[in-house]
């Protein structure tokens, strides 16, 4: 097992090897970020550290129930030796934020969802038609379709009225005696209404 | 391959010559010859479904009417009743359960299936004002043939305006069937709307291909009848339609006044105990409201009721000029109209403009005191013509409206054939036809027009 894992760790060993010589090297403070679950480090090739690191190995085998959200920063440790002053080392810590692909995707997904939700909610609150008298006045069922239905019904009623008028006219022509019939026609009209 | 026909013919010969195979054939003929006198006129015939076309692909099991089927007398012949509801019986505990007209579910299907009743009908009409106006006789015919029918109309935005002056129509909806690429939402919405109204008959004057036929059949009406393309584009349309009409040309409007004669022939067809219907003349009806509105309008322009002649057909690019689609050359320039108007003495010429932008030109050509009225809808035009003494117009809807209101008219046509097509039996309709000799309306003989207009004045003196 150790051998297989070795393959994983090989390119990483350079990173975790604490530098004793001058120059710059990087230490990753979240070594398990990209090796979730099965990640374990074999430090077998590192001699003196072996015993100590075996303890650590056990800890690292543990799986994580929660995502490693706070481990987002990458620390660069800068160790500088100045030739004239042998004992003093200048150590500079630099951290940069670094997000994994998944994390970036999550951030953008959330951003899109928030935007869409925001557009829907705040867009709907500022609809002049929705808030307007035309839509909100008495008589609507709230669907908006009634406007057209009402228009159609008005037209149909107007035609029915026309039909009645024609009928009355025909009766007038047939029977004669216009005045009496006009009164009668008015009466029937009232009755019809 | 060459041996095949000889083989089959020889086998057929052998089959017919052998007594075994000839017997059933003989018995079949004998039985049919016995049965023929027993054939009665089939009482239970559906409304001529697939009568015209004998396409075996439509229904391979359609052997015609079943001779042994017996139909009763109930709901099988004659016209439908206007309101088939039985009278309410106050003593009956269920007597107060009132169904709306045409919704008595227990017996509705009898009439619908046996007699071919039409309770609700939808007319899909292609074209503008002129084409819709000429469809009015068909609507009246439907009303006469199927008493109590509720007729709805589907037309484009211009054509729909006609139904202000038609009393026989219930709903008129706007939908442009000539649009080759309808908006999908509108298309599906309209299908849903039509489906929800449960039509018995859908008539369409749009030339149908497979697409329009599919639209019509998706309304799930009992029978759909439509014009189809007179060319290969009609392929497949007949499969989805109950009845198809094939016009002579691609442009239906070229048929003139009788542009829908194929459809009218079918609608007026005789049925059991119903004689062939006579096709009613074009009539329009005007509401009091409309008359009052138009009266105020023409009084504002300075003419009085019964003392003006309507002039319609001024050249314009407006969509409201109400031309027929079958006669493109039917508008006259305002200068010629001004010439004609000068000869009208007894009454004021009233110029109808289809767009406000024409007002200036008319004033320029005729003079600042010209009487001008801006009218775009057929309803208002009809009301205007109703209050006038007569109409002088080119081939626009104004001519047909004048006939519909029995007003004398002078009609200017680009050719004599057009005149005969669009105004058949002109004398009965009190119409004087003046046509151009060259086939171009602009070359019309103004002298003849003036004479005709004066004759119009003479007739108005008589009136």
């Amino acid at each position: 097992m150790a051998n297989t894992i070795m393959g994983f760790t090989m390119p990483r060993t350079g990173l975790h090897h604490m530098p004793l010589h001058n120059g710059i090297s990087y230490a990753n403070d979240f070594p398990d970020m990209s090796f979730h679950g099965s990640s374990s480090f074999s430090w077998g090739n590192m001699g003196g550290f072996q015993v100590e690191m075996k303890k650590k190995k056990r800890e690292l085998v543990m799986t994580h129930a929660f995502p490693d959200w706070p481990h987002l920063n990458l620390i660069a440790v800068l160790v500088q030796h100045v030739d004239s002053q042998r004992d003093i080392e200048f150590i500079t810590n630099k951290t940069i934020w670094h997000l994994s692909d998944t994390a970036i995707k999550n951030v953008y997904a959330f951003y899109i969802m928030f935007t869409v939700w925001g557009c829907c909610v705040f867009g709907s609150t500022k609809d002049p038609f929705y808030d307007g008298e035309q839509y909100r006045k008495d008589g609507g069922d709230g669907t908006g379709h009634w406007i057209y239905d009402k228009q159609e019904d008005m037209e149909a009623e107007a035609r029915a009225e026309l039909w009645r008028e024609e009928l009355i006219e025909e009766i007038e022509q047939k029977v004669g005696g216009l005045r009496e019939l006009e009164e009668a026609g008015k009466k029937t009209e009232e009755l019809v209404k | 391959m060459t041996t095949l026909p000889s083989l089959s013919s020889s086998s057929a010969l052998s089959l017919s010559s052998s007594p075994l195979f000839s017997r059933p054939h003989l018995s079949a003929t004998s039985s049919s010859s016995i049965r023929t006198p027993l054939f009665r006129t089939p009482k239970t015939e559906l409304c001529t479904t697939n009568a015209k076309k004998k396409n075996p692909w439509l229904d391979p099991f359609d052997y015609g009417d079943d001779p042994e089927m017996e139909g009763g007398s109930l709901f099988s012949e004659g016209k439908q009743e206007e309101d088939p509801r039985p009278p309410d019986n106050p003593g009956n505990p269920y007597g107060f359960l009132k169904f709306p007209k045409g919704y008595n579910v227990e017996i509705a299907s009898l009439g619908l299936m046996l007699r071919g009743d039409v309770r609700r009908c939808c007319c899909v009409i292609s074209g503008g004002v002129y084409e819709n106006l000429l469809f009015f006789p068909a609507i009246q015919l439907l009303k006469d043939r199927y008493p109590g029918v509720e007729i709805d109309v589907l037309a484009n935005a211009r054509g729909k305006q006609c139904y202000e002056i038609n009393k026989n129509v219930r709903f008129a909806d706007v939908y442009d069937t000539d649009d080759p690429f309808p908006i999908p939402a509108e298309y599906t919405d309209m299908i849903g709307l039509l489906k929800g109204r449960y039509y018995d008959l859908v008539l369409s004057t749009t030339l149908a291909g497979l697409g329009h036929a599919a639209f019509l059949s998706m309304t799930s009406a009992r029978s759909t009848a439509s014009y189809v393309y007179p060319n290969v584009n009609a392929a497949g349309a007949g499969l989805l339609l109950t009845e198809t009409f094939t016009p002579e040309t691609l442009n239906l409007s070229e048929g003139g006044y009788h542009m829908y004669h194929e459809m009218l022939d079918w609608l007026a067809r005789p049925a059991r105990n119903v004689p062939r219907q006579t096709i009613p003349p074009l009539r329009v009806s005007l509401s009091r409201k409309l008359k009052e509105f138009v009266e105020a309008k023409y009084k504002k322009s300075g003419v009085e009721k019964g003392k003006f002649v309507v002039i319609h057909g001024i050249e314009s690019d407006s969509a409201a000029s109400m031309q027929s689609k079958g006669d493109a050359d039917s508008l006259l320039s305002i200068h010629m109209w001004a010439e004609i108007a000068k000869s009208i003495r007894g009454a004021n010429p009233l110029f109808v403009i289809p767009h406000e932008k024409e007002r200036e030109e008319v004033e320029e050509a005729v003079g600042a005191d010209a009487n001008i009225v801006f009218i775009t809808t057929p309803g208002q035009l009809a009301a205007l013509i109703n209050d006038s003494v007569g109409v002088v117009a080119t081939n626009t809807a104004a001519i047909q409206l004048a006939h519909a209101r029995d007003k004398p008219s002078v009609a200017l046509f680009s050719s004599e054939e057009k005149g005969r097509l669009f105004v058949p039996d002109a004398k009965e309709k009190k119409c004087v036809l003046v046509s151009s000799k060259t086939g171009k309306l602009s070359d019309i003989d103004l002298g003849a027009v003036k004479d005709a207009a004066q004759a119009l004045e003479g007739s108005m003196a008589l009136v």
Side-chain angles (χ1 to χ4, degrees):
Chain A
M1 186 178 169
N3 279 338
T4 53
I5 292 162
M6 278 291 278
F8 276 87
T9 54
M10 276 300 275
R12 286 225 146 204
T13 46
L15 284 176
H16 297 284
H17 193 76
M18 291 306 275
L20 295 171
H21 52 85
N22 73 349
I24 301 164
S25 73
Y26 299 96
N28 199 339
D29 76 338
F30 52 110
D32 47 350
M33 188 69 183
S34 50
F35 292 97
H36 290 284
S38 69
S39 71
S40 68
F41 287 88
S42 157
W43 301 81
N45 56 343
M46 299 186 71
F49 288 90
Q50 200 170 8
V51 180
E52 200 186 325
M53 289 301 144
K54 271 193 176 171
K55 249 189 193 172
K56 213 173 185 178
K57 184 182 163 188
R58 264 181 211 156
E59 284 170 26
L60 287 166
V61 169
M62 279 164 42
T63 52
H64 297 260
F66 298 104
D68 305 53
W69 268 100
H71 304 281
L72 293 169
N73 46 355
L74 196 71
I75 299 177
V77 185
L78 217 77
V79 186
Q80 285 177 315
H81 292 262
V82 181
D83 285 342
S84 57
Q85 295 166 307
R86 251 196 128 200
D87 308 345
I88 303 164
E89 293 175 340
F90 295 96
I91 300 173
T92 317
N93 278 320
K94 285 187 177 176
T95 51
I96 38 166
W97 281 87
H98 180 82
L99 296 177
S100 68
D101 285 356
T102 327
I104 290 169
K105 195 199 78 180
N106 288 339
V107 166
Y108 273 104
F110 179 73
Y111 168 64
I112 287 166
M113 273 150 53
F114 179 76
T115 309
V116 168
W117 173 80
C119 288
C120 291
V121 169
F122 294 103
S124 69
T125 58
K126 286 171 186 168
D127 185 350
F129 176 69
Y130 187 66
D131 294 330
E133 183 62 14
Q134 199 189 5
Y135 186 76
R136 285 282 158 175
K137 73 181 171 194
D138 294 339
D141 59 356
T143 57
H145 293 297
W146 63 276
I147 293 168
Y148 314 110
D149 290 346
K150 203 167 183 185
Q151 173 69 25
E152 264 184 9
D153 288 343
M154 274 161 58
E155 287 177 7
E157 263 174 39
R159 282 188 210 105
E161 181 68 24
L162 185 62
W163 185 79
R164 261 177 258 131
E165 275 178 25
E166 287 268 307
L167 195 67
I168 289 163
E169 265 180 36
E170 268 179 38
I171 293 166
E172 280 173 2
Q173 281 176 1
K174 273 183 187 170
V175 182
L178 283 171
R179 282 207 175 171
E180 286 169 19
L181 268 163
E182 258 176 35
E183 285 171 13
K186 274 175 193 169
K187 270 180 196 169
T188 50
E189 255 186 28
E190 281 168 11
L191 281 175
V192 163
K193 273 174 191 172
Chain B
M1 284 301 286
T2 47
T3 53
L4 257 175
S6 63
L7 260 177
S8 60
S9 64
S10 66
S11 65
L13 270 172
S14 64
L15 278 178
S16 57
S17 58
S18 74
L20 247 178
F21 286 100
S22 58
R23 251 185 70 194
H25 176 68
L26 264 173
S27 67
T29 48
S30 60
S31 69
S32 70
S33 62
I34 290 163
R35 250 187 226 167
T36 30
L38 290 175
F39 268 116
R40 275 175 295 176
T41 46
K43 277 186 177 175
T44 54
E45 171 191 319
L46 290 182
C47 53
T48 68
T49 311
N50 300 340
K52 194 161 70 178
K53 45 194 178 187
K54 292 278 181 193
N55 187 348
W57 290 100
L58 287 175
D59 186 358
F61 303 106
D62 183 8
Y63 301 118
D65 297 303
D66 185 359
E68 282 167 11
M69 191 156 143
E70 285 178 26
S73 60
L74 194 65
F75 292 109
S76 63
E77 51 190 24
K79 283 185 187 176
Q80 65 192 51
E81 285 159 59
E82 194 156 329
D83 186 0
R85 274 181 306 190
D88 289 324
N89 176 11
N92 185 346
Y94 306 106
F96 296 105
L97 195 68
K98 286 180 182 168
F99 283 103
K101 196 178 103 183
Y103 282 90
N104 44 358
V105 285
E106 299 91 345
I107 48 172
S109 60
L110 282 173
L112 290 172
M113 300 308 286
L114 295 174
R115 193 166 51 182
D117 285 4
V118 177
R119 295 254 155 251
R120 283 166 293 276
C121 169
C122 179
C123 307
V124 182
I125 299 158
S126 152
V129 165
Y130 208 116
E131 285 77 17
N132 278 272
L133 209 57
L134 291 183
F135 197 75
F136 278 24
I139 291 172
Q140 186 62 52
L141 176 66
L142 278 171
K143 203 82 178 177
D144 296 345
R145 174 65 183 79
Y146 305 106
V149 63
E150 282 172 330
I151 300 169
D152 297 343
V153 163
L154 211 61
N156 64 19
R158 281 291 301 155
K160 186 222 161 182
Q161 294 180 333
C162 277
Y163 298 96
E164 194 180 8
I165 47 177
N166 192 322
K167 60 176 180 176
N168 293 321
V169 168
R170 182 178 54 157
F171 297 135
D173 291 297
V174 175
Y175 182 78
D176 191 2
T177 45
D178 298 325
D179 188 0
F181 297 105
I183 299 165
E186 279 184 10
Y187 181 83
T188 47
D189 184 52
M190 191 45 72
I191 287 172
L193 188 99
L194 298 181
K195 214 171 153 61
R197 286 182 184 166
Y198 295 94
Y199 289 117
D200 298 325
L201 173 66
V202 175
L203 299 173
S204 169
T205 68
T206 310
L207 295 190
L210 185 58
H212 186 61
F215 175 79
L216 295 178
S217 76
M218 271 189 279
T219 62
S220 56
R222 185 196 61 198
S223 39
T224 49
S226 174
Y227 276 93
V228 292
Y229 282 106
N231 55 23
V232 288
N233 290 324
L239 288 169
L240 300 172
L241 298 169
T242 319
E243 183 69 31
T244 57
F245 315 109
T246 317
E248 288 93 13
T249 56
L250 274 170
N251 189 356
L252 209 60
S253 312
E254 280 169 8
Y257 182 82
H258 296 299
M259 60 187 280
Y260 301 120
H261 70 93
E262 293 102 342
M263 183 178 269
L264 284 167
D265 277 350
W266 181 73
L267 287 175
R269 73 197 182 278
R272 257 163 281 138
N273 232 343
V274 182
R276 176 166 276 277
Q277 300 286 301
T278 50
I279 291 163
L282 172 62
R283 286 274 156 249
V284 297
S285 34
L286 300 164
S287 68
R288 197 176 303 149
K289 216 187 208 173
L290 187 64
K291 280 180 192 166
E292 280 165 10
F293 179 79
V294 173
E295 194 169 355
K297 211 169 176 177
Y298 68 69
K299 275 189 176 155
K300 211 172 151 193
S301 69
V303 291
E304 280 176 49
K305 184 173 181 176
K307 287 179 181 173
F308 62 91
V309 173
V310 175
I311 289 180
H312 195 261
I314 297 168
E315 197 166 21
S316 167
D317 56 355
S318 165
S321 53
M322 302 192 214
Q323 301 174 77
S324 168
K325 279 188 179 166
D327 190 4
D329 182 22
S330 62
L331 293 177
L332 213 54
S333 71
I334 181 61
H335 302 288
M336 299 188 71
W337 275 122
E339 281 286 310
I340 295 164
K342 270 180 202 166
S343 69
I344 301 172
R345 297 269 166 75
N348 290 325
L350 179 61
F351 294 88
V352 179
I353 51 169
H355 197 279
E356 277 292 355
K357 69 187 174 189
E358 311 297 332
R359 191 180 286 271
E360 275 183 29
E361 284 178 35
V362 176
E363 280 175 355
E364 238 175 64
V366 184
D369 58 340
N371 301 311
I372 303 166
V373 65
F374 166 57
I375 278 180
T376 56
T377 68
Q380 291 184 23
L381 186 61
L384 186 74
I385 288 167
N386 189 47
D387 285 354
S388 72
V389 281
V391 177
V392 183
T394 53
N395 186 16
T396 63
I399 288 294
Q400 304 296 343
L401 288 171
H403 302 159
R405 298 304 297 184
D406 291 326
K407 291 285 169 185
S409 56
V410 177
L412 319 185
F413 277 95
S414 57
S415 65
E416 251 182 72
E417 299 104 59
K418 288 277 181 203
R420 256 182 276 124
L421 274 177
F422 283 90
V423 189
D425 39 82
K427 269 197 178 171
E428 281 172 34
K429 291 175 175 174
K430 294 195 262 181
C431 181
V432 182
L433 295 180
V434 184
S435 44
S436 166
K437 299 278 186 295
T438 56
K440 265 188 179 177
L441 188 61
S442 53
D443 298 332
I444 200 164
D445 181 18
L446 283 181
V449 179
K450 282 174 187 170
D451 290 346
Q454 273 157 13
L456 184 73
E457 279 174 49
S459 74
M460 90 185 60
L462 288 172
V463 170

